[in-house]
Amino acid sequence: MCGIIGINATEPYTSQELLSRLKKLEYRGYDSWGYWNGTQLVKKVGKIEVSDDQQAVNVAISHTRWATHGGVNEKNAHPHRAGKVTIVHNGIIDNWKELRTGLEAKGRGFRSETDSEAIAHYIDTALNEGKDILAIIKLLIEEIHGTFASLIMIDGDDTLYAMKRDSPLALGVCKDRMILGSDIYAFSDTTNEAIFFENDEYATIRPTGYTFYKNGEELVKEAKAFKWTTMEEDKQEYAHFMLKEIHEEPSVNQRLIDSLQTEQDVHFKELVDLIKNAKKTVFTAAGTAYHASLLGASFLHKCGVNAQAIIASEFENFITIDDETLVIAVSQSGETMDVIEALKYSKDKGATIASIVNVPYSTIERMSSLSLQILAGQEVAVASTKAFANQATVMLALAQEFGYANGLAGMPKKLAGVLAFEPELQKLAQELHEHRDLYVLGRGLGYPVAREIALKIKEISYVHAEGMMGGELKHGTIALIENGTPVISLVYNDDPKMRSSTQEVKARGARTIVIGTTPQAELNVPAESEAEFAILASTLGQLLAYYIALARNLPIDKPRNLAKSVTVL
Ligand code: G6P
């Protein structure tokens, strides 16, 4: 949700550098964008355009937006400016109305409908009252309820100010410049030294130095060296990042499996021990990562481990947590706010926290006492693909330690084999892309996969797709089946129950498509176990969703209304 970048450099730089860095964060939100470089305030609706403007400055801030408060228009785009103060903000200020009313009573005129603008007016008003900027930021942090990663510039002051609570913020330390960004992608091409802001910390950033504070006290914070590959940031010969990322599944899967036996071996074994010692294991996640969690819970359940998967946004409502519970957060970005909230709740209840993440040094990783990395590399496309394959593979590896041996070692090769289905899937997509509704049915391990395939189709092709338990179909949804309605059935090993669910819809005129493991299936996946089938069928579904969206000529990598990293509740 929103990406922010601020650079303070020894040598002047142009908006090209600022915006090409902002572009790296565009997956966090892309409805509008803007920047302030001390003289120019640029705000635009749509995707970031990196202009060839040659004006060079030493300090600037920028923002790419996923709207929360206020519609998508130039007025609501960031930065927001009030008097001599300019700010960008990622997060949500819960008490913005009270702040705004108080500031309006002091004669401040607001230009936008955003919660964020209050930050700029608050600071400018206090500066006019003669207060010191650090004292103002300290007080503001006390008075704001809600979440923020915010960068602040003041006219005539070449220091960059930053503050954070719950929304992510990192400082990339380079020899000749400091780069503030929502995550390490902002600067990972130029430095591997970073400092991560913790809650309620604020900082003054100069071109070659920084000072961190909390509650008015100066903090000692050292830059940490991080490891991250930038090799995957390029689209190469592919038309879309999504297709490229699906094609990377075999190689990143191999990388993951190797690392679980080498550099991640110790952590992996520690996680297995945590599961062994816990009274129950609860996975929590959102979206695609939740579907991988459902697979994980089911794999472990098959080995007699007490495991569940709970959607993070409903965590408190559906599970009892205590100090004998192990909570494992699963998250590609490591920044999903619903997941962070579920972890805070679990910590308060005394649970042990572990995580399975893709982006290293993310908030969720830092909140966990133990974390495994899925090593999928950067996912640029908003729809998650290779991360899902690797999340599910970690689950398989964990379950294998409890006796669930299901072809882990052969997974990269099998994933490569699924790519051979592309021409068939392209043909199928041609047939399906004009339908308004589509259903995906699965049982057991096929159920999370049915939901994942439906989610992929909804996200990028805007076709209404429902993924459901085959057995639940007859309890209501079957009323929606009409002549020609497409229904995809996931049938492992000719499962008779799934066969009959398929027959039930066929009898009512549905166009049935069986993804299975026998020659009768329309798409016959070469899987030797149910777990293998689940992972391979998911990749098949990713490709089908891709080709449906392609046939509909949609912006596949950046679908409308979505953001890859959802850092608001
Ligand atoms: C967003 C993304 C989804 C993703 C979900 C969870 O909704 O659009 O693709 O699955 O967040 O994200 P996470 O980073 O926690 O895996």
Side-chain angles (χ1 to χ4, degrees):
M1 303 280 102
C2 303
I4 59 178
I5 299 271
I7 306 176
N8 203 346
T10 36
E11 294 297 323
Y13 63 92
T14 65
S15 66
Q16 267 165 303
E17 165 160 7
L18 185 72
L19 296 177
S20 53
R21 295 203 175 283
L22 188 65
K23 213 149 175 54
K24 292 174 191 281
L25 301 187
E26 203 174 28
Y27 70 88
R28 301 179 64 89
Y30 37 84
D31 55 39
S32 52
W33 60 280
Y35 69 92
W36 166 252
N37 64 9
T39 53
Q40 277 176 303
L41 181 66
V42 173
K43 293 180 186 227
K44 292 204 173 156
V45 170
K47 308 247 166 76
I48 299 165
E49 301 150 28
V50 180
S51 72
D52 52 6
D53 176 12
Q54 288 307 306
Q55 193 192 351
V57 297
N58 294 73
V59 192
I61 53 177
S62 59
H63 185 276
T64 183
R65 182 169 188 246
W66 187 89
T68 57
H69 292 68
V72 177
N73 53 43
E74 284 181 10
K75 205 174 54 183
N76 291 334
H78 294 219
H80 293 288
R81 206 166 142 68
K84 51 199 163 304
V85 176
T86 312
I87 65 104
V88 290
H89 167 229
N90 169 27
I92 293 181
I93 301 172
D94 296 330
N95 59 337
W96 67 279
K97 274 198 183 139
E98 293 101 273
L99 288 173
R100 182 166 175 152
T101 313
L103 289 159
E104 278 170 345
K106 289 184 177 178
R108 308 299 307 212
F110 280 68
R111 291 194 192 98
S112 76
E113 295 139 15
T114 64
D115 53 337
S116 313
E117 195 183 343
I119 299 177
H121 284 284
Y122 183 101
I123 298 173
D124 190 53
T125 306
L127 284 173
N128 290 344
E129 289 164 359
K131 290 185 188 139
D132 164 68
I133 180 65
L134 289 178
I136 297 171
I137 295 175
K138 175 180 176 284
L139 202 64
L140 178 60
I141 290 176
E142 283 163 18
E143 288 191 19
I144 285 185
H145 303 165
T147 61
F148 50 85
S150 204
L151 308 181
I152 303 150
M153 278 176 65
I154 299 164
D155 293 0
D157 181 349
D158 50 15
T159 301
L160 196 53
Y161 299 90
M163 59 180 200
K164 112 111 190 181
R165 180 187 299 146
D166 287 335
S167 303
L169 186 59
L171 173 69
V173 178
C174 312
K175 271 200 202 87
D176 61 343
R177 65 194 53 211
M178 297 286 154
I179 305 173
L180 286 153
S182 301
D183 58 44
I184 58 169
Y185 298 145
F187 44 71
S188 54
D189 61 322
T190 165
T191 179
N192 70 338
E193 301 245 311
I195 302 182
F196 298 91
F197 283 70
E198 298 301 338
N199 280 345
D200 294 346
E201 288 181 359
Y202 52 104
T204 55
I205 310 295
R206 312 268 313 150
T208 55
Y210 48 82
T211 312
F212 278 74
Y213 303 87
K214 186 169 179 171
N215 293 326
E217 303 285 329
E218 208 174 302
L219 304 172
V220 180
K221 278 178 85 100
E222 300 285 336
K224 288 184 191 150
F226 65 86
K227 245 169 75 188
W228 182 248
T229 161
T230 53
M231 268 160 54
E232 281 130 353
E233 285 174 19
D234 182 7
K235 202 157 49 175
Q236 295 160 4
E237 75 272 19
Y238 295 94
H240 296 95
F241 275 106
M242 183 178 175
L243 188 61
K244 169 179 168 276
E245 288 162 6
I246 297 172
H247 276 256
E248 279 168 1
E249 286 181 16
S251 64
V252 299
N253 201 253
Q254 188 66 59
R255 175 163 75 191
L256 168 68
I257 292 170
D258 292 346
S259 99
L260 292 178
Q261 292 156 1
T262 54
E263 72 262 35
Q264 294 206 88
D265 175 51
V266 174
H267 279 174
F268 179 68
K269 289 197 173 115
E270 281 170 1
L271 186 55
V272 171
D273 286 341
L274 285 182
I275 297 172
K276 278 187 185 150
N277 296 330
K279 197 170 73 185
K280 70 176 171 213
T281 295
V282 182
F283 292 100
T284 189
T288 289
Y290 170 67
H291 300 146
S293 301
L294 276 175
L295 283 179
S298 188
F299 292 163
L300 288 174
H301 166 74
K302 285 176 190 294
C303 322
V305 177
N306 184 1
Q308 279 162 280
I310 306 284
I311 292 237
S313 59
E314 290 292 337
F315 196 75
E316 292 182 27
N317 299 323
F318 290 96
I319 189 90
T320 307
I321 301 292
D322 59 21
D323 57 3
E324 292 181 283
T325 311
L326 169 66
V327 175
I328 306 180
V330 184
S331 174
Q332 188 285 126
S333 63
E335 299 293 350
T336 300
M337 190 55 84
D338 288 325
V339 181
I340 292 171
E341 288 293 306
L343 293 188
K344 283 186 190 163
Y345 172 82
S346 305
K347 256 192 181 161
D348 285 351
K349 299 282 177 195
T352 305
I353 310 294
S355 58
I356 297 171
V357 299
N358 191 33
V359 181
Y361 313 97
S362 52
T363 305
I364 290 172
E365 183 181 292
R366 286 181 285 124
M367 284 176 85
S368 320
S369 41
L370 183 65
S371 192
L372 288 184
Q373 288 183 13
I374 61 164
L375 302 179
Q378 185 176 6
E379 264 191 347
V380 176
V382 165
S384 186
T385 53
K386 58 178 177 169
F388 175 84
N390 274 15
Q391 285 160 346
T393 301
V394 172
M395 303 300 181
L396 203 52
L398 287 172
Q400 188 169 276
E401 297 297 308
F402 291 85
Y404 187 62
N406 268 298
L408 175 69
M411 195 49 74
K413 240 193 176 145
K414 294 258 161 126
L415 283 167
V418 170
L419 302 177
F421 283 90
E422 262 182 284
E424 271 172 88
L425 292 166
Q426 229 167 327
K427 228 169 95 203
L428 186 58
Q430 281 303 329
E431 182 197 327
L432 299 182
H433 80 278
E434 278 175 350
H435 285 270
R436 287 178 56 89
D437 304 288
L438 189 154
Y439 298 86
V440 192
L441 309 180
R443 288 181 70 88
L445 297 180
Y447 163 62
V449 177
R451 290 199 42 182
E452 177 54 15
I453 294 177
L455 179 65
K456 282 288 94 75
I457 293 172
K458 280 186 278 201
E459 280 179 311
I460 59 164
S461 73
Y462 314 153
V463 169
H464 165 239
E466 220 172 297
M468 58 182 310
M469 297 169 178
E472 271 298 287
L473 176 83
K474 55 188 175 296
H475 298 296
T477 308
I478 200 160
L480 298 171
I481 304 299
E482 292 173 354
N483 230 3
T485 308
V487 178
I488 300 173
S489 295
L490 302 169
V491 189
Y492 175 65
N493 213 8
D494 215 17
D495 171 27
K497 287 187 176 156
M498 271 311 300
R499 252 197 292 130
S500 65
S501 300
T502 310
Q503 285 311 318
E504 283 159 16
V505 287
K506 197 171 189 164
R508 285 155 182 89
R511 153 70 168 110
T512 55
I513 300 135
V514 173
I515 301 180
T517 53
T518 56
Q520 296 94 298
E522 185 163 337
L523 295 156
N524 180 8
V525 183
E528 276 144 40
S529 71
E530 196 187 353
E532 243 181 61
F533 176 63
I535 298 175
L536 301 179
S538 304
T539 299
L540 214 80
Q542 294 165 356
L543 284 166
L544 179 63
Y546 173 81
Y547 284 111
I548 294 177
L550 192 70
R552 290 168 66 88
N553 198 20
L554 291 168
I556 292 177
D557 287 335
K558 291 196 176 74
R560 70 182 176 208
N561 303 341
L562 299 182
K564 189 156 186 70
S565 179
V566 181
T567 57
V568 292
L569 289 178

